[in-house]
Amino acid sequence: MLAIVGGTGLYDLQGLKIKDRISGQTPFGQASGDVLIGEIGQHPILFLARHGSSHRLLPHEINYRANVFALKAAGATMMLGFSAVGSLRMEIKPGDLVMPEQYIDWTKADRLRTFFGGGVAAHISTAKPVSPNLVQAVVNAGGRINERITRGATYICVSGPRLGTQAESQWLRQMGGDLVGMTNIPEVFLAREAQMAYATLGMVTDYDCWLEDESQHVSALGIFELYGETLAKARDVLDSLLAHALPEPEATIRQSLSHAVLTADDAITPEQRQWLDVLRR
């Protein structure tokens, strides 16, 4: 089942026929909101607003573990996020749609990055952190409606909530980043720990602040000048995606915990076993 995680501006899912609503309470705390269970066309769909229904949560305040766990517990095997991003490359323009395929974690110690620890040890492989099948399906969906989507970008995640300095923006470019955002980490890695195929459709709002032209520097007001139009394009891509058969998640992703958990089963408590069994589904 496909789970949609709505980012800035995407607090509901048009066309979703809601069948049920599941509380976001999990063993890892409270998710950003209830998980909506419904249908769009022929597809069962889950939906969760990352920042809450009224955008009440800053990026570092989001309980990413609870969000991912709640979606997995509701039956998700794939997770498609929507995120506002800044561009670190001239050729990636405000208004573009981009799918990152690599990530660099530049966040600080204000985020819980893993389900594991506290007596359950695991080391998950994230060399290829996103699902090629899901990325290609979204790119194909864009192609069907003549909406170009750039793929293969590297997303650097920063903590926020402040917008960066020019020196920081230039440093992120030197690190090899193509995009900068505040929300995809640890979401992408937690999805892999939950054996879910993950991808993000990034909506480019600005050039961050690496350009010398100060009129191009990111601001909260500037983010929203193009954002409504870009978000509409992203919604059209999603409609195109859901009008066709969805991809199958890769078997390697669906089995990513097979050899990652190091703790012996008889050393795991009943409470730990309950949440671990959900991740292993």
Side-chain angles (χ1 to χ4, degrees):
M1 187 186 305
L2 177 65
I4 305 295
V5 178
T8 300
L10 192 60
Y11 311 120
D12 56 50
L13 207 53
Q14 294 174 356
L16 180 66
K17 297 178 181 178
I18 299 174
K19 303 288 187 179
D20 200 359
R21 183 186 298 264
I22 298 177
S23 167
Q25 186 61 44
T26 78
F28 300 94
Q30 181 66 44
S32 298
D34 292 345
V35 175
L36 302 183
I37 302 176
E39 294 178 351
I40 296 180
Q42 61 180 321
H43 301 297
I45 296 292
L46 304 174
F47 178 77
L48 178 64
R50 186 187 286 119
H51 295 276
S53 59
S54 55
H55 204 123
R56 57 188 171 77
L57 297 171
L58 288 167
H60 70 282
E61 296 178 314
I62 295 167
N63 188 336
Y64 296 94
R65 296 196 303 174
N67 284 358
V68 172
F69 189 89
L71 292 170
K72 182 61 186 290
T77 58
M78 295 186 292
M79 186 172 168
L80 177 61
F82 287 78
S83 301
V85 294
S87 171
L88 298 171
R89 303 296 165 192
M90 204 70 203
E91 63 272 19
I92 301 177
K93 303 176 179 61
D96 284 358
L97 299 176
V98 185
M99 299 203 76
E101 295 189 69
Q102 282 294 331
Y103 285 90
I104 296 174
D105 185 355
W106 206 242
T107 61
K108 308 303 180 187
D110 54 7
R111 303 187 185 194
L112 296 174
R113 291 168 168 79
T114 179
F115 291 111
F116 297 100
V120 184
H123 298 282
I124 203 79
S125 173
T126 59
K128 300 288 186 179
V130 305
S131 163
N133 289 355
L134 188 52
V135 170
Q136 190 60 58
V138 176
V139 171
N140 290 347
R144 287 193 292 267
I145 58 172
N146 297 316
E147 202 63 72
R148 180 178 175 272
I149 300 174
T150 300
R151 63 179 297 177
T154 294
Y155 177 123
I156 298 184
C157 194
V158 297
S159 288
R162 69 173 176 83
L163 304 172
T165 69
Q166 191 170 47
E168 288 170 329
S169 189
Q170 291 169 345
W171 174 243
L172 296 179
R173 280 169 45 83
Q174 292 176 34
M175 287 173 64
D178 302 306
L179 306 171
V180 59
M182 300 181 187
T183 59
N184 277 197
I185 291 174
E187 189 176 89
V188 56
F189 303 135
L190 292 167
R192 180 59 57 88
E193 288 187 346
Q195 300 192 135
M196 288 195 291
Y198 180 91
T200 284
L201 183 58
M203 296 165 281
V204 181
T205 59
D206 53 79
Y207 279 119
D208 200 50
C209 61
W210 55 274
L211 290 168
E212 291 302 322
D213 181 357
E214 292 187 11
S215 69
Q216 298 286 344
H217 290 183
V218 59
S219 68
L221 176 63
I223 284 173
F224 289 99
E225 290 179 349
L226 273 178
Y227 193 64
E229 180 182 340
T230 311
L231 181 58
K233 293 194 297 185
R235 285 183 181 270
D236 288 343
V237 171
L238 179 59
D239 289 343
S240 176
L241 175 71
L242 296 177
H244 293 76
L246 295 176
E248 290 293 324
E250 291 85 351
T252 52
I253 293 176
R254 296 288 293 128
Q255 299 166 10
S256 57
L257 289 178
S258 296
H259 303 289
V261 179
L262 304 182
T263 306
D265 279 351
D266 59 7
I268 296 173
T269 69
E271 292 78 12
Q272 291 167 334
R273 192 178 307 281
Q274 285 184 339
W275 59 257
L276 184 54
D277 284 346
V278 171
L279 299 185
R280 283 172 162 164
R281 290 177 188 166

